[in-house]
Amino acid sequence: MGSRVELYAAIRFDWQRNQMSVRGLADKYGVHRRTVREAIDSPIPPPRRSPPRRTLVLDTVRGAIDAMLAEDLSAPRKQRHTAKRVFERLRAEHHAQVSYSYVAKYVHRRRPQLAAEAAARDAARAGVVAGFVPQCHPPGAEAEVDFADLWVRLAGEMTKCFLFTLRLSHSGRAVHRVFASQGQEAFLEGHVAAFEVLGGVPFDKIRYDNLRSAVHRVLFGRTRSESGRWLAFRAHYGFTAFYCLPGKDGAHEKGGVEGDGGRFRRTHLVPVPAVDTLAELNNRLAAADASEDARRIDGRAQTVGEAFAVEAPLLVALPAERFDTALSLTARVDRYAKIMVRQCQYSVPARLIGTRVRVALSASELQVFDGSRRVATHPRLIARGECRLELDHYLEILLGKPGALPGSTALAQARAAGRFAAAHEAFWAAARGKHGDAAGTRALIEVLLLHRRLPEAAVLAGIRAAVAAGSVSADAVAIEARKHTTATGTTTGTSMTPAAGAPAAGPQRSRAAVVTLGARRRAASLSGLPADGRPAPSVRDYDQLLAHRTGQERSS
């Protein structure tokens, strides 16, 4: 998958930046034109079946081979290990059933890597003069990305979050967003938000640490093994990733964003922000980013906004379609109608118990799909072990087990969120008082099922009207709810506002007038409707039956 993604990314890069033709791309990369068109249409290659990768025996003896090659660094040149000698020692000393060709390839690749690492250590021991060399960044060419820790008082609780920052190197214009994690979905969503705010993408490169969201493995030097989804994302937006050296050696390579994260946090996030949701906090950060256009970076003559005005036209335009940053997963629904996603639990409709569902996980939301149909949507949970349940998902189970409702977690969460309102409580109390606990609870559940097909305001109005009339029937609630829907959706014929000084008495209901057939026909002719050509009703056939019956009685 990785090599195909890299191929597709390279094809899309040449097609977007170098304007190469389909035939030219096919000749350059030695592939069919159909493959080039697939890469142009989508940065993600179509899936293909591949056999499971076998665990190589070589993986178990890598350490032994590295030790032999490390000994060669200090051994005489003519007494160093050859690939054949390494193979012989593995068979004799480690009893490894490994192929000679694999050993030879590994020795050929690994020997220069170990030599370069030893040379770097020797240079460090010799001492290198510390300091910094001034750099210049052309407009629109480069940007830097980093995550920084951040504490937020979220819904009254101190919560550790992460501040995503993308900063243009030339102007210093930055975009900040707060996420609950540093996962790949948050990493990609932060990029998309930044590109859309800036109106484009740097045409040269973006500098990164070795984040797990992008890098699977750090190889020799600046070579990295990147994740397939990250390669597809870069191919979609058409930019190059520059990875800094690990540790302190590479900290200075993106010093602009390193310093900006701390400065922005001290300026706009002190004291600790208190918000109900991260969306609210991100709206604040968007306003803070806009306000920094008047800021002047030390040593620069222009403000951030003035420099960005020069840089913005040089950014590469965004593609027509937005990259889907949600992570696609599958989960199994347990017997409690819950799924486990990233060590948090979410409810789904009870009819899906025992099945597998598809999950689209974004940085702030979780959506559950049964096939192509969306069946549940939850805000993404933050703390490990949290659980979010929707009472509506358990109503079919509760119809058969009404005694489970009072102590259910779903009911407790609905009450805490205000979704189980005082009107529901009043109806439940009245129903249990009239029919008993079990029957009264079933009546409440039937009322809760009305929320699936009627607006919430209409159902609550129907509950209040039914309770006021002394009824605890779900049918009565449905009738009153439909009346409320009709009344609120009609501009004439009903009045929802009482007269001045009069007490509010609810909707004023109008009596339905009796319409005769003749009146309907006259109204139809006046309104221009098609004429009713049906014959007038007659009882002639019934009169014939009556005459036949009278004749039989006389004959008898």
Side-chain angles (χ1 to χ4, degrees):
M1 178 66 179
S3 60
R4 296 183 69 206
V5 173
E6 294 173 356
L7 174 63
Y8 276 46
I11 292 174
R12 285 180 64 88
F13 187 88
D14 282 340
W15 175 69
Q16 292 174 344
R17 294 295 181 85
N18 301 328
Q19 302 296 320
M20 294 182 63
S21 65
V22 174
R23 182 182 296 275
L25 290 170
D27 293 341
K28 177 179 179 179
Y29 293 99
V31 296
H32 197 275
R33 291 191 295 273
R34 180 173 55 254
T35 303
V36 174
R37 293 189 181 95
E38 289 177 354
I40 293 174
D41 292 339
S42 172
I44 303 177
R48 65 182 182 186
R49 294 184 178 180
S50 58
R53 182 179 179 274
R54 297 178 301 171
T55 301
L56 300 176
V57 179
L58 180 61
D59 294 342
T60 63
V61 293
R62 291 180 188 273
I65 298 176
D66 287 351
M68 297 178 195
L69 298 180
E71 293 175 1
D72 288 346
L73 295 176
S74 57
R77 182 176 182 84
K78 294 185 179 181
Q79 288 181 264
R80 296 177 182 175
H81 288 84
T82 62
K84 182 179 179 181
R85 180 54 183 160
V86 171
F87 173 72
E88 291 172 350
R89 288 190 61 185
L90 291 176
R91 297 289 297 270
E93 301 174 12
H94 300 275
H95 307 288
Q97 300 297 320
V98 62
S99 170
Y100 171 77
S101 61
Y102 279 112
V103 173
K105 291 177 182 177
Y106 183 80
V107 170
H108 177 74
R109 182 177 70 253
R110 186 60 174 152
R111 194 193 300 274
Q113 293 177 356
L114 292 175
E117 293 173 3
R121 289 194 299 268
D122 293 339
R125 293 193 192 98
V128 178
V129 177
F132 298 93
V133 178
Q135 301 288 306
C136 62
H137 303 284
E142 298 180 10
E144 303 167 351
V145 167
D146 195 23
F147 270 111
D149 295 347
L150 177 68
W151 285 93
V152 178
R153 192 174 298 280
L154 187 61
E157 295 186 5
M158 289 293 290
T159 305
K160 184 179 180 180
C161 299
F162 302 92
L163 178 66
F164 172 90
T165 304
L166 187 146
R167 179 182 182 273
L168 293 176
S169 300
H170 173 76
S171 64
R173 182 72 157 87
V175 178
H176 303 84
R177 291 293 182 271
V178 174
F179 297 103
S181 73
Q182 298 183 81
Q184 189 180 66
E185 58 277 5
F187 183 62
L188 300 183
E189 189 171 320
H191 278 79
V192 173
F195 293 158
E196 292 178 351
V197 169
L198 299 174
V201 182
F203 63 79
D204 186 5
K205 57 179 172 287
I206 302 179
R207 299 174 182 267
Y208 299 94
D209 283 331
N210 300 284
L211 301 170
R212 288 187 178 181
S213 302
V215 175
H216 277 326
R217 183 182 302 171
V218 178
L219 303 178
F220 177 71
R222 297 190 187 278
T223 307
R224 305 291 184 269
S225 173
E226 298 177 296
S227 67
R229 187 166 178 77
W230 172 238
L231 279 171
F233 180 84
R234 291 204 296 106
H236 183 80
Y237 286 99
F239 65 91
T240 303
F242 177 91
Y243 297 106
C244 301
L245 295 175
K248 296 181 179 180
D249 294 338
H252 65 281
E253 294 181 330
K254 59 180 188 67
V257 72
E258 295 279 358
D260 183 82
R263 181 203 60 80
F264 186 87
R265 184 170 47 195
R266 291 187 298 270
T267 304
H268 299 286
L269 296 170
V270 175
V272 174
V275 293
D276 293 330
T277 63
L278 291 183
E280 177 185 349
L281 179 58
N282 282 324
N283 290 334
R284 294 188 191 177
L285 297 189
D289 288 338
S291 68
E292 292 209 331
D293 283 347
R295 183 173 65 91
R296 194 183 304 275
I297 300 176
D298 293 341
R300 298 189 182 184
Q302 293 179 312
T303 64
V304 171
E306 292 169 347
F308 179 67
V310 176
E311 189 169 28
L314 302 176
L315 298 175
V316 178
L318 296 176
E321 296 183 1
R322 197 172 190 260
F323 191 90
D324 184 10
T325 59
L327 183 63
S328 183
L329 306 169
T330 58
R332 185 170 184 83
V333 184
D334 63 16
R335 59 179 179 172
Y336 297 100
K338 296 187 298 184
I339 58 174
M340 178 75 76
V341 179
R342 296 288 175 86
Q343 299 182 342
C344 293
Q345 294 180 318
Y346 305 85
S347 67
V348 299
R351 61 181 174 81
L352 299 175
I353 289 177
T355 65
R356 296 193 72 85
V357 293
R358 182 170 62 88
V359 178
L361 180 66
S362 69
S364 58
E365 188 179 59
L366 177 139
Q367 298 182 2
V368 184
F369 294 86
D370 179 22
S372 60
R373 181 184 177 189
R374 185 175 62 183
V375 294
T377 302
H378 297 279
R380 180 169 178 175
L381 300 178
I382 298 177
R384 179 183 304 178
E386 282 190 313
C387 180
R388 190 177 192 277
L389 308 180
E390 286 287 348
L391 182 58
D392 179 75
H393 294 161
Y394 296 91
L395 296 182
E396 287 81 2
I397 299 177
L398 292 170
L399 278 175
K401 299 179 179 180
L405 178 60
S408 63
T409 305
L411 177 61
Q413 292 189 4
R415 281 172 170 161
R419 294 189 298 271
F420 194 81
H424 297 111
E425 299 280 7
F427 182 91
W428 193 12
R432 285 187 294 181
K434 186 172 183 179
H435 299 300
D437 289 344
T441 301
R442 287 194 178 94
L444 171 68
I445 295 170
E446 291 177 359
V447 169
L448 295 176
L449 287 169
L450 294 175
H451 284 284
R452 296 182 180 179
R453 60 180 186 271
L454 292 172
E456 180 181 4
V459 175
L460 294 177
I463 293 174
R464 287 190 287 267
V467 172
S471 173
V472 289
S473 169
D475 294 335
V477 174
I479 292 172
E480 295 295 334
R482 291 191 181 95
K483 288 181 180 178
H484 182 273
T485 302
T486 303
T488 56
T490 306
T491 57
T492 60
T494 59
S495 175
M496 295 295 293
T497 305
Q508 302 296 320
R509 301 170 187 161
S510 60
R511 295 180 178 273
V514 178
V515 181
T516 63
L517 183 59
R520 180 193 177 282
R521 286 178 173 173
R522 288 192 297 272
S525 62
L526 293 175
S527 62
L529 295 176
D532 190 353
R534 294 176 296 178
S538 173
V539 294
R540 185 184 308 162
D541 295 337
Y542 296 97
D543 290 342
Q544 294 176 3
L545 293 175
L546 182 61
H548 178 69
R549 180 178 179 184
T550 304
Q552 288 181 344
E553 291 176 352
R554 289 176 180 176
S555 64
S556 62

